[in-house]
Structures are given as structure tokens and as C-alpha cells.
Amino acid sequence: MTSARPRSLTGIKPTGTPHIGNYLGAIRPALELAKTHDSFLFIADLHALTTQHDPKRLREETYAVACTWLALGLDTKEVVFYRQSDVPEVTMLAWVLACFTPMGLLLRGHSAYEELAGEAPAAPVDESLSEVAKKRAAIREVLEATGALSHGIVSYPVLMAADILLYDADVVPVGKDQKQHLEITQEIARKVNNAYGGEVLRVPKAAIREDVMTVPGLDGRKMSKSYDNTIELFLEPKPLRKRVMQITTDSTTLGAPLHHAGETVFELHKLFAAPERSAALLASYQSGRKDPASGDAPENLFGWGHGKQALYEVIEESLRAPRAEYQRLMNDRGHVDALLAEGAERARTVAQGVLARVMSATGLRI
Ligand code: ADP
Ligand code: TRP
């Protein structure tokens, strides 16, 4: 790790069991980026606490995420890998930032809205009110009526800004859904810098992964926990095969050419397989034959069942070794704790330096 490389930082919220979409869309690209960047990755357990109030599940999911990344090749010598709550400096910085964060910025933010989805009363119909004012009014009403919106949820983006600014991050690679949070981070950092007339905080660049493909789920929509269409990463062979066989396909009959572009089985296969192997599957799709050079005897015919079997095999081969490593790590929590503690120590060295700069700029310290 050399300090000349730009620093990238990302938080991973430990919620639910990681799936193939998380792997291909977030984990694999982040591990790739770590090869060229001074990379910080952390488990955002304080953020998870905004919605996860079951201690057993919070603990389990934190380990599950940690072990998933480690099993998939995260090298803790290269990457600073830690648990957010192991670096208490982040909450100190979050408070300082909170003192520079206009409430309006937070109430416009989407995290508050997601939380309220379905609960917010219809916005007032008065056309003269701006959208923002309508939303604020709706939030206020829910706040008063149900108490559904915690302070933690509203200030979620402030803590996220602290996560990023505490480490002088240059780039923050995230999915599109986090774009607004990054804009809030940049705005808060600029406000602090303006207030004290200097570069107290480094304003990070967003690296929105617009181009990362959306991994399709069993029903062809985006693979997501919320659609219940995921393939969990570390399923045993039997349940994995069962899940793959559930992928929705069209009703093309055995032996007829299959449509491949944008088709779930084919696209997932391509994401795992070496190019030659994907090309061989394409040839089968196009010919309707297992081997395009063979005749049309029944045993030569190719159909969806064979495509799915090919997909199952390539996923199983790719994830067999990481699955074993995952299971090993999940049963050796002492080792995982030690790795995370080491990461936290490295993270704190950087965090304390930045926090000292902030404490001095604000007058909280000399
Ligand atoms: P989910 O939609 O299952 O709740 P999360 O929102 O927890 O997934 O996503 C965690 C990370 O994985 C994010 O960086 C997100 O962009 C990525 N990700 C999730 N699903 C997919 C998908 N189907 N394709 C590509 N990336 C995905
Ligand atoms: N909010 C992010 C998510 O839901 C997780 C996160 C917390 C994060 N802190 C961060 C991401 C800092 C990037 C940088 O996915």
C-alpha cells in the first residue's frame, strides 16, 4: 500500500444474506479497485442499527458480511477492513458535521423517505407549496403521529459523511442509490471548509457505478432482496441447483434455437464463465444442439434444462472454494475479530489525524 495512490472508501451495510447480485455488482468491482487504490472498506454496523434492532441478527449479519468479503478474496494486508463501530472517532466527527448540516438538506434526502414509504400521509394538495415543503409537512405529520422516524434515520447521511470525511477519501465508489448521500457529504464538507477558510476536510469525488451491469434475478428483474428473486452466494450444491432451475424462461421447445441476449440464464452464465465457455453455450443456444455439429437425434437436443444445468455448474465451480472458506471463517469468529481489530487500528491512525485537524480548526482544541 503506497500513499501515492488515490484513496477509495466504501461502506457495506450488513443487512441480509449476500447474493450473487451483491457479489458481481459490488464485491467483485471493489476488490478489483483495491488493486489500484489505497482502499478502505468497512462494515457499516452503526448504519444498520437505524433499522435492525434485533441484536442477534445484527451480530450474525455483521459476521456474515465480514466473512463473505474475506472468503471472496479481500486481503486485509492490502485493504484497511474494519467495523465502523470500532472507530469511535466517527461519532465525534458526525456531531461536528451535524452542526453544519441544514435540516432542510436531511429532510429532502431520500433515506428519510424510504423509511416512511407507505406511512407518510398524502402530501397536502395545495399547489402553491413547493415539493420540498410538501415533503416536510408530510414528514412532520408522521413524526408527530407515530414517532416512526428516528433521529438516527434522519441523520443517516451525516454519519455517512463522517465515514467518508474522516479518512480524507478521494473517491467513493457506490451504486446509483447512494448518489444523493454523496452530494450531501460534499455539501457538508464545503460548508465546514467555508466556515474555517481552508481545506479542513477533503471533498471526495463520487464514483457512481453507472456502467456496472444490473445482475438479473430469478424472474428477470434486478436481483434484489426486496424482490425475493435472489440466488444466495453460498448455497450448498443441492439448494443452489434448485434455485437455478427456478429461473423464469420462455416456452421455446427442446431443440429449437433459444433467444440469448438479455436472457437471465445466459447473462448470469456469462458473468461467471470464461469467454470460451460462454461462447460454447451461445453456440448451443443458437443451434438448439448440445454440440452444434451433431445431428437431431433426441439425445443431441438442447433446451432450457441444459442451459440451467450449465449455469449451475459454472456457479458451483466458481463459488465452491469461497463457500468452504466462508464456512471456515464463520466458525472461527475469534480470527475474524482479530482481523477486524487490526483493521480498526490502522483506520484509527488515519481517523485520529483528521479529527485532530477538525478539532483544531473548530476551536474545540488548540
Ligand atoms: P438488495 O437490492 O438486495 O437489497 P443492496 O441494496 O443491499 O441489495 O446492495 C448492496 C450492494 O450490491 C450495492 O452496492 C448494490 O449496488 C449492489 N447490488 C445489489 N443488487 C445488485 C444487482 N442485481 N446487480 C448489481 N449490483 C447489485
Ligand atoms: N449507505 C450505504 C448503503 O446503504 C452504506 C454506507 C455507509 C456507505 N457509510 C458509507 C457507503 C460511506 C459509502 C461510503 O449502501
Side-chain angles (χ1 to χ4, degrees):
M1 200 166 81
T2 62
S3 53
R5 302 195 298 177
R7 178 168 297 162
S8 82
L9 175 143
T10 297
I12 310 133
K13 214 155 93 174
T15 44
T17 315
H19 54 72
I20 282 176
N22 300 143
Y23 171 50
L24 300 170
I27 302 176
R28 204 163 71 174
L31 295 179
E32 213 36 56
L33 195 75
K35 294 180 184 161
T36 52
H37 286 65
D38 175 18
S39 179
F40 282 57
L41 279 168
F42 67 93
I43 304 167
D45 57 347
L46 294 173
H47 278 113
L49 185 64
T50 57
T51 50
Q52 181 55 271
H53 292 173
D54 176 342
K56 194 160 171 271
R57 287 193 54 193
L58 183 56
R59 201 172 290 124
E60 280 308 303
E61 290 176 356
T62 297
Y63 280 113
V65 166
C67 295
T68 298
W69 283 72
L70 292 167
L72 289 168
L74 186 151
D75 177 356
T76 55
K77 286 194 228 31
E78 282 296 317
V79 176
V80 182
F81 186 52
Y82 57 102
R83 187 160 38 196
Q84 185 184 26
S85 63
D86 279 337
V87 184
E89 285 78 7
V90 78
T91 53
M92 173 83 96
L93 181 62
W95 178 258
V96 173
L97 300 181
C99 296
F100 290 84
T101 308
M103 268 311 274
L105 194 62
L106 298 181
L107 293 180
R108 280 199 302 275
H110 64 62
S111 44
Y113 283 97
E114 272 163 21
E115 222 44 54
L116 282 176
E119 286 189 64
V125 277
D126 183 349
E127 291 295 337
S128 65
L129 283 175
S130 71
E131 277 306 304
V132 173
K134 280 187 206 171
K135 286 182 172 181
R136 279 190 202 163
I139 282 199
R140 200 156 42 237
E141 229 173 284
V142 173
L143 265 178
E144 283 164 13
T146 68
L149 193 59
S150 71
H151 182 185
I153 289 167
V154 178
S155 51
Y156 185 110
V158 181
L159 180 60
M160 180 157 161
D163 287 331
I164 297 168
L165 300 173
L166 189 58
Y167 299 97
D168 281 342
D170 296 300
V171 286
V172 184
V174 286
K176 277 177 243 176
D177 59 325
Q178 297 297 315
K179 189 168 174 215
Q180 195 179 53
H181 286 148
L182 279 175
E183 288 164 1
I184 294 176
T185 301
Q186 291 163 332
E187 191 162 335
I188 296 174
R190 284 194 203 100
K191 278 192 191 296
V192 171
N193 289 344
N194 283 341
Y196 299 111
E199 211 212 21
V200 181
L201 296 169
R202 180 170 303 174
V203 182
K205 278 200 266 308
I208 308 295
R209 295 186 305 243
E210 308 271 6
D211 56 328
V212 166
M213 68 303 165
T214 299
V215 178
L218 299 184
D219 56 0
R221 290 187 291 172
K222 175 186 181 221
M223 186 178 288
S224 169
K225 285 188 287 289
S226 14
Y227 297 149
D228 196 20
N229 64 354
T230 65
I231 300 176
E232 284 180 17
L233 258 178
F234 298 130
L235 288 176
E236 293 290 339
K238 241 176 135 175
L240 171 62
R241 188 167 185 283
K242 196 166 159 212
R243 211 62 186 143
V244 168
M245 292 298 159
Q246 286 168 355
I247 294 174
T248 311
T249 51
D250 65 26
S251 52
T252 310
T253 51
L254 188 68
L258 300 178
H259 162 72
H260 75 277
E263 191 279 316
T264 309
V265 176
F266 184 79
E267 295 296 340
L268 286 175
H269 185 274
K270 197 163 80 182
L271 289 166
F272 280 98
E276 318 80 70
R277 200 160 163 184
S278 173
L281 184 66
L282 177 60
S284 300
Y285 264 61
Q286 289 174 333
S287 62
R289 300 288 176 277
K290 291 177 193 163
D291 174 357
S294 66
D296 51 8
E299 67 273 17
N300 294 334
L301 301 183
F302 180 90
W304 288 122
H306 303 106
K308 289 178 179 182
Q309 179 65 25
L311 173 60
Y312 157 72
E313 284 168 11
V314 76
I315 298 179
E316 169 56 19
E317 280 169 36
S318 312
L319 295 177
R320 189 186 297 136
R323 181 175 65 226
E325 179 62 1
Y326 174 79
Q327 285 158 353
R328 193 186 68 74
L329 289 164
M330 282 299 271
N331 289 315
D332 190 359
R333 305 217 173 167
H335 176 59
V336 177
D337 283 335
L339 290 177
L340 290 173
E342 239 170 74
E345 213 172 294
R346 286 164 71 194
R348 284 191 82 181
T349 308
V350 178
Q352 285 166 354
V354 176
L355 187 62
R357 211 163 69 209
V358 172
M359 297 293 276
S360 150
T362 50
L364 290 164
R365 289 288 180 280
I366 294 169

